[in-house]
Amino acid sequence: MTSTLLTGISELWTLDPALEEPGERGAAPGQVLHDAALVVEEGRVAWTGPAATAPAADRREDLGGRAVLPGWVDSHTHLVFDGDRAAEFEARMAGESYAAGGIAVTTAATRAASDERLLALVRSRLAEAAAGGTTTLETKTGYGLTVAEEGRAARLLDALARAGEIDEVTFLGAHLVPEEHAGRAEEYVDLVVGDMLQAVAPHVRWIDVFCEAGAFDPEQSARVLAAGAAAGLGLRVHGHQLGRSGGVELAVRHRAASVDHLNHLDAGDVDALAATASLPTAPGDAPGRLAVDAGPTVATVLPACDLSTRAPLAPARALLDAGAQLAIASNCNPGTSYTSAVAFCVATAVLQMRLTLAEAIRAATRGGALALRRDDVGHLGVGARADLHVLDAPAAIHLAYRPGMPLTHQVRRAGSRLA
Ligand SMILES: N=CN[C@@H](CCC(=O)O)C(=O)O
Ligand SMILES: [Zn+2]
């Protein structure tokens, strides 16, 4: 067993769950150490504390006075696609508004791509995410929309998950009613909850639905979630992106792990999410995994998507003030948010959504982990996976103080260098 001692850490954000008070939404006392050191053993955090009291180890590396965070946990991406939608984006910047119909353009391009090409595209996007400090990533199907194509996407992602290249896979057959079923949404929902779910279920841990005018209404969305739950999958919802879609009520009622977007909320929606915040989690079926059907419904905000669609920013401040559990994710996809830069999302959350730095960092690490029902990532407490984001800065506040600068110095997943 080889151990590595990392020294020269000016600021170490352990976000150690053992030190957390209930209701904490930033960093609790003791969760950020100064002049610190960390020991990695067998891919896990074995020790953290003041550099002056660091134990001996087989190897030693000096990080040169840099800040170290847990790697980002990006709990919402759509990486299986071909083609881009730059022209749609440009038209939006000239005044057009976002409509879900663009999903059909990406679906056509994705269906036409070979397995090898899709795999290469996903891998190049994973490399981009890792280069920005992401060490845990969820990604979705949803640009296939037939039994064969959703099954193909789920199998490709499952293979990457088994190889340890991604962490969590979600089935999003209920992304949009495809052209072949135009005007017959119920018939398409029958397919999603029937043959399609059966084809993908062995390959995914989660099911998601786009509950929105122009996609699926709350009743159709409820059918999708109920079928997913019956198949043993955890539940996620895209909702309140374009209007008050009913997605929050639906997610809370079905005990979804997360409801994402949240650009249009009223006070009742905020309170409904906050009311779930202290629901207890439960152990899951594998180390590091919690049960998918217990715990809070995390409010996941997607700041890059809000900017790229010129939507009202999701009310992250109000959600935190009400006590909700918050996650920040990239929503990397070709339509509404073609970026996996979580550091950019964190800077936006601080600069524009009025979060403190600690609230934003927590939401993009521990918050994402809770939304994925994981307790082995998103923090650097002893026993956590040694996922480290070493900043080229002496303090993490530089993420918002120097927005857009290349502040990722080094990234390790389970102790090994990714970037
Ligand atoms: N809103 C639904 N799905 C994606 C966008 C998909 C697309 O436009 O291609 C999202 O999360 O923003
Ligand atoms: Zn999405």
Side-chain angles (χ1 to χ4, degrees), residues 316-341:
R317 179 73 267 153
L319 285 159
L320 282 176
D321 289 344
Q325 294 283 0
L326 189 79
I328 291 173
S330 75
N331 188 23
C332 182
N333 77 82
T336 63
S337 187
Y338 199 0
T339 175
S340 58

Side-chain angles (χ1 to χ4, degrees), residues 187-272:
E187 170 191 287
Y188 182 65
V189 174
D190 289 345
L191 190 65
V192 169
V193 303
D195 291 353
M196 207 181 274
L197 177 58
Q198 210 183 333
V200 302
H203 305 294
V204 304
R205 186 172 179 228
W206 302 97
I207 189 167
D208 199 340
V209 57
F210 187 15
C211 178
E212 200 77 53
F216 298 90
D217 68 25
E219 290 71 33
Q220 292 159 346
S221 301
R223 285 185 65 204
V224 171
L225 296 185
L233 304 182
L235 311 181
R236 326 187 67 76
V237 176
H238 281 68
H240 297 237
Q241 177 184 12
L242 307 175
R244 283 198 62 243
S245 66
V248 166
E249 191 275 330
L250 178 83
V252 168
R253 180 158 44 91
H254 287 261
R255 292 174 161 260
S258 185
V259 54
D260 306 30
H261 282 291
L262 307 177
N263 302 91
H264 300 272
L265 298 185
D266 71 8
D269 300 322
V270 171
D271 289 346

Side-chain angles (χ1 to χ4, degrees), residues 76 78 85 98 103 143 175 210 238 241 261 305 331 333 335-336:
H76 182 147
H78 308 243
R85 308 224 302 269
Y98 173 74
I103 294 169
Y143 292 116
H175 200 184
F210 187 15
H238 281 68
Q241 177 184 12
H261 282 291
C305 177
N331 188 23
N333 77 82
T336 63

